[in-house]
Amino acid sequence: MAAWLVGLNTLKIQPFKLPPLGPHDVRVRMKAVGICGSDVHYLKTMRCADFVVKEPMVIGHECAGIIEEIGSEVKHLVPGDRVALEPGISCWRCDLCKEGRYNLCPEMKFFATPPVHGSLAHQVVHPADLCFKLPDNVSLEEGAMCEPLSVWVHTCRRANIGPETNVLVMGAGPIGLVTMMAARAFGAPRIVIVDDVPKEVEKVCKVMEARVDVSFDCAGFNKTMKTALSATRAGGKVCLVGMGHNEMTVPLTPAAAREVDVIGIFRYRNAWPLCFEFLRSGKIDLKPLITHRFGFSRKEVEEAFETSAGGGSAIKVMFNL
Amino acid sequence: MGKGGESHEENMAAWLVGINTLRIQPFKLPPLGPHDVKVRMKAVGICGSDVHFLKTLRLADFIVKEPMVIGHECAGIIEEVGSEVKNLVPGDRVALEPGISCWRCNPCKEGRYNLCDEMKFFATPPVHGSLARQVVHPADLCFKLPDNLSLEEGAMCEPLSVAVHACRRADIGPETNVLIMGAGPIGLVTILAARAFGAPRIVIVDVDDHRLSVAKDLGADGVVKVSTNMQDIPEEIERISKAMGAAVHVSFDCAGFNKTMSTALTATRAGGRVCLVGLGHNEMTVPLTPAAAREVDIIGIFRYKNTWPLCIELLRSGKINVKPLITHRFGFSQEEVEEAFETSARGGNAIKVMFNL
């Protein structure tokens, strides 16, 4: 059974027929699935950027579970292994894949990005190389949290976060909080989070007590980008992570004239192992971010999505199956 | 005390004294410091920024509040050297890098001296420019020209440096197909620099047929005529794609308009880079999100750093030939200075207008 998005604002738990198990696949019994803002967006609007839900689709993509069955060629996993899943299946034939930038694969098949079914289900079939065995001291819920954390690991890498980069985070939603944890894990000495965009950029710098080397725009609005571009020091970087409006009106020229670069972020690549390392060592603790838990029934699925959509005190809403 | 011949004539320069008003007037030089040289100017080119200051007395946050000597693209002959200067002697032909950095601030010490907080740059107010008979300048910013390079080519090192810096920041090489927005002087030197850096395919766009034909002569693989209409972007991208015959890895926006940036962001392949070189409107409305969602990065370009030696080498070896870009020449008289600036401002078939002093 799986949670299907069957129409606007309508989720239904229905049978979900699994594809046959290929030689390099595994079958996973889902145990923990988190709700992402994009899942909520699909529920409310049936679309996200250019992706449109045209037929019923299983929702959810932040997940972890237990291996039930392995394909004939699978060597590194056995039934009973606890694994976290990386959602996206790349083609490994195109230029981008072969350059290692597989997150940009034009043929990407990603859980719950239409028309590919998601993973809020009792079981899924998935390539074994995209299932990562959890360290003993990392729970399945933390495993599911690796997906959002991966976005931030990828961002910190692209932005070159380290012991000399002071970081400004625009947006203190769940994303902003995970960002802060990731930046700290990468060694950022000072991190300032801004939720309500301040009227003066100087205020931000005052709180920072130092230059802003890198800004993360986790909201993706004109206002947040404008502040990020203005607040970042000459030669610094602004990462646009939040997917907001298509067209944006921003002070690009003064930023370019100070060689403030704008770095785009799309999902992640090769991030799970590093996420595990951060969680295993305790450098990052995501458990406090899981604020609400629900079981896998029609009523609870609806309530869970309402809770997540409501925002407020809800940071990460997690299903326990 | 310096070493070398002392000239006894009064130094004259082209001063910007008011909107649209240039006057050749005396220009008193500062005393020669131990690390300075006195240069007799021989070739000075006009830049779009010089024209902008002439027409509006401002550029971005820089405002001309008092009369200021104009001009910054220059080369000349050493007349006198300061007591500590070892690498130059009177008679040496040199090209000048305009900007004097402080070497005390963080950007300077990190080597990104073009971003210096205290930058003193020829003809960026309140610092006087170099369209003068003589200037005094730090010796380390004067680069000796090889015998086979003219002083005019020396002056061209300045605009060429912008393109070289952009090609470095954008990581141009034998695998990067390049799209250039705008075939003005900067777009045109970008063709030359990108080719010198190894770019296999270069396509350039502009609204002007003449500019496009110059671009073709300079070695662009493809030229595409475009409009100023935002609605035409999808169709233009198709033609660009056809002209390139391959993915666009790096785009250089050498115009700096919403349309050129929007086109560049959309035309560049996922994981590629768009360099914003042309400094146009303050606020820009562009499809940033879809670009970010394809990890197309935007790289800012401000002037240059450590480019003169490479420019000189590329010119010396013939890998780059800037001579075709010098379309008009003028002498240093009141009448000619006015005419030169009018010619440059008019655009059209005027690419680089050069003063010979």
Side-chain angles (χ1 to χ4, degrees), chain A residues 240-295:
Chain A
L240 180 49
V241 193
M243 300 282 155
H245 300 288
N246 213 346
E247 283 221 326
M248 295 180 75
T249 300
V250 288
L252 255 188
T253 300
R258 295 185 310 115
E259 295 193 352
V260 174
D261 300 334
V262 177
I263 303 206
I265 299 295
F266 187 64
R267 295 180 181 146
Y268 33 70
R269 54 175 189 273
N270 299 315
W272 260 254
L274 183 53
C275 288
F276 282 1
E277 188 45 41
F278 285 144
L279 295 173
R280 183 201 65 78
S281 65
K283 249 186 162 180
I284 291 184
D285 179 12
L286 295 173
K287 296 191 284 291
L289 297 182
I290 305 171
T291 51
H292 295 77
R293 289 173 172 81
F294 292 88

Side-chain angles (χ1 to χ4, degrees), chain A residues 100-136:
Chain A
R101 295 188 80 167
Y102 68 80
N103 55 316
L104 304 175
C105 174
E107 306 290 324
M108 171 68 82
K109 294 179 179 14
F110 196 96
F111 278 154
T113 292
V116 181
H117 292 306
S119 58
L120 181 48
H122 281 130
Q123 298 172 38
V124 301
V125 165
H126 205 54
D129 69 280
L130 294 174
C131 297
F132 298 88
K133 192 168 163 185
L134 289 169
D136 291 336

Side-chain angles (χ1 to χ4, degrees), chain A residues 10-73:
Chain A
T10 319
L11 290 165
K12 248 186 229 163
I13 294 191
Q14 292 177 161
F16 177 38
K17 190 172 148 78
L18 294 175
L21 195 75
H24 294 281
D25 292 338
V26 291
R27 187 156 50 91
V28 183
R29 176 161 293 282
M30 272 309 140
K31 298 303 288 175
V33 182
I35 299 180
C36 171
S38 62
D39 296 316
V40 173
H41 201 267
Y42 278 118
L43 175 68
K44 299 286 172 195
T45 67
M46 296 286 272
R47 69 180 303 153
C48 209
D50 291 334
F51 297 106
V52 180
V53 184
K54 294 178 185 147
E55 294 171 357
M57 176 188 84
V58 175
I59 200 76
H61 61 274
E62 307 183 358
C63 56
I66 301 175
I67 302 284
E68 278 209 333
E69 193 185 347
I70 60 174
S72 55
E73 297 291 324

Side-chain angles (χ1 to χ4, degrees), chain B residues 126-152:
Chain B
V127 181
H128 292 305
S130 58
L131 181 48
R133 293 217 175 277
Q134 298 171 356
V135 300
V136 165
H137 205 54
D140 69 282
L141 293 173
C142 297
F143 298 87
K144 194 167 163 186
L145 292 170
D147 292 337
N148 69 332
L149 287 188
S150 67
L151 287 151
E152 287 188 336

